[in-house]
Amino acid sequence: MDDRQFVRTYVVTGGDFQGGGRMSTDIKDTLKDLGFPPALIRRVAIAAYEAEMNVVMYARSATVTLRVTPDCIGLEVIDQGSGIPDVPLAMQEGYSTATAEMREMGFGAGMGLPNIKRNADEFVIASEVGRGTDLAIRVRVH
Amino acid sequence: MDLTPALGPRPPASETGESGLTLDEVRQVLDAETIWCPEPSVRAEWVVAADLMSDVLICQAPGRLLLTSLVNQQAIRTAAIMDFAGVVFVRGKSPRADVVELAQEKRVPVFVTALPTFEAAGVLYAALRARTGTRDGTSCDG
């Protein structure tokens, strides 16, 4: 078992539409520097971008941890926000509580969580109303 | 308006080994203004026309061209995350300086056309079909 591991932590601020996406593009650049293939990087970057914009739109802030091993790329998003009252409903494509302002920024079509799941090999979500949402995904390297 | 491909008939991709349109050809058929494009010979394989970046993020294929009226940093970040060939802003909407700076930083070519989305998409569709012939797998089905 190879115990090499790369870890980087980010803080994402809710409501920061202008800066939304900085984390995801940094994750993409980091994975590129680590030598992963473009298709794999794209899957992680898409999931990271969707997760990041969810925080920007719906949470006050979040701590995001990127964890990379030779076998797996993991992303853990722990946000402080209002939480999701009905997670299965939020997982349905097209379901959205986005405001007009969010849509003017190009997001809020109700595709975020399903698209994160689509790009992940493992997807776990837990949410508590009034506290926030924890999301963890893993993408296998091989 | 005339949707006849402005570039004239070309051999299908299977015969030339080439597919898509170069960014310079995109600029020509759309009569677009180049905002930033360091490599006009880069090819756009297909086009995604959308104003909701959530819809764009479902497409998995790289090398596409984003046609949008969403003139903000998220359009550039989305194109960068997706490894797209470039972004065309429609209806003559010129990007602000911060959007252009981000495009340069992320190396995303940017054009502006006076055409509205429907007509720009029609022109590009006709030009791409003339270049590549009928091909499968061009839909954005994730």
Side-chain angles (χ1 to χ4, degrees):
Chain A
M1 176 71 186
D2 196 323
D3 61 359
R4 283 176 299 165
Q5 183 169 259
F6 174 93
V7 179
R8 183 168 287 175
T9 302
Y10 301 86
V11 174
V12 179
T13 305
D16 181 16
F17 281 97
Q18 185 73 3
R22 279 192 193 132
M23 177 198 79
S24 312
T25 44
D26 185 78
I27 286 174
K28 180 168 186 174
D29 292 344
T30 300
L31 295 177
K32 192 174 174 185
D33 289 344
L34 291 171
F36 289 103
L40 182 78
I41 294 173
R42 209 159 40 244
R43 285 176 62 201
V44 178
I46 291 169
Y49 193 28
E50 295 276 22
E52 183 177 6
M53 293 312 293
N54 275 348
V55 172
V56 169
M57 288 190 288
Y58 298 111
R60 289 189 298 278
S61 68
T63 303
V64 181
T65 307
L66 170 71
R67 206 177 301 273
V68 183
T69 71
D71 301 317
C72 178
I73 300 167
L75 208 57
E76 188 181 74
V77 184
I78 299 180
D79 80 35
Q80 292 79 47
S82 54
I84 303 170
D86 188 336
V87 171
L89 188 59
M91 290 301 300
Q92 288 181 17
E93 291 191 355
Y95 176 79
S96 175
T97 58
T99 63
E101 183 197 9
M102 295 172 187
R103 292 194 183 172
E104 279 172 19
M105 297 304 296
F107 285 85
M111 305 302 284
L113 287 175
N115 202 25
I116 294 171
K117 188 174 185 181
R118 185 181 293 118
N119 283 286
D121 292 310
E122 294 175 36
F123 174 96
V124 179
I125 186 168
S127 192
E128 187 182 327
V129 173
R131 181 193 62 78
T133 302
D134 299 348
L135 172 72
I137 67 159
R138 298 180 81 185
V139 177
R140 284 191 287 274
V141 173
H142 304 291
Chain B
M1 81 178 285
D2 182 10
L3 293 183
T4 306
L7 300 173
R10 299 287 183 94
S14 56
E15 294 177 19
T16 63
E18 296 176 347
S19 62
L21 298 172
T22 67
L23 293 178
D24 194 50
E25 289 169 332
V26 168
R27 181 190 60 74
Q28 286 178 51
V29 296
L30 295 178
D31 194 19
E33 177 190 356
T34 301
I35 303 299
W36 188 75
C37 181
E39 295 177 60
S41 61
V42 166
R43 288 180 176 277
E45 299 296 331
W46 202 244
V47 175
V48 179
D51 291 341
L52 277 178
M53 298 301 101
S54 314
D55 289 337
V56 179
L57 289 165
I58 295 168
C59 303
Q60 279 289 355
R64 297 186 183 212
L65 188 72
L66 174 60
L67 191 63
T68 186
S69 65
L70 183 78
V71 188
N72 66 15
Q73 291 198 10
Q74 301 310 330
I76 303 299
R77 291 197 187 280
T78 299
I81 291 281
M82 303 299 285
D83 296 319
F84 276 6
V87 176
V88 178
F89 294 124
V90 298
R91 289 192 177 279
K93 294 182 175 181
S94 290
R96 296 184 311 265
D98 62 295
V99 177
V100 178
E101 284 168 17
L102 182 66
Q104 292 170 336
E105 179 191 330
K106 297 299 170 192
R107 300 196 62 76
V108 176
V110 175
F111 302 86
V112 174
T113 179
L115 297 177
T117 305
F118 179 72
E119 290 180 19
V123 168
L124 288 170
Y125 184 87
L128 279 162
R129 279 295 187 207
R131 175 61 53 83
T132 62
T134 302
R135 69 180 213 193
D136 296 324
T138 51
S139 64
C140 187
D141 55 7

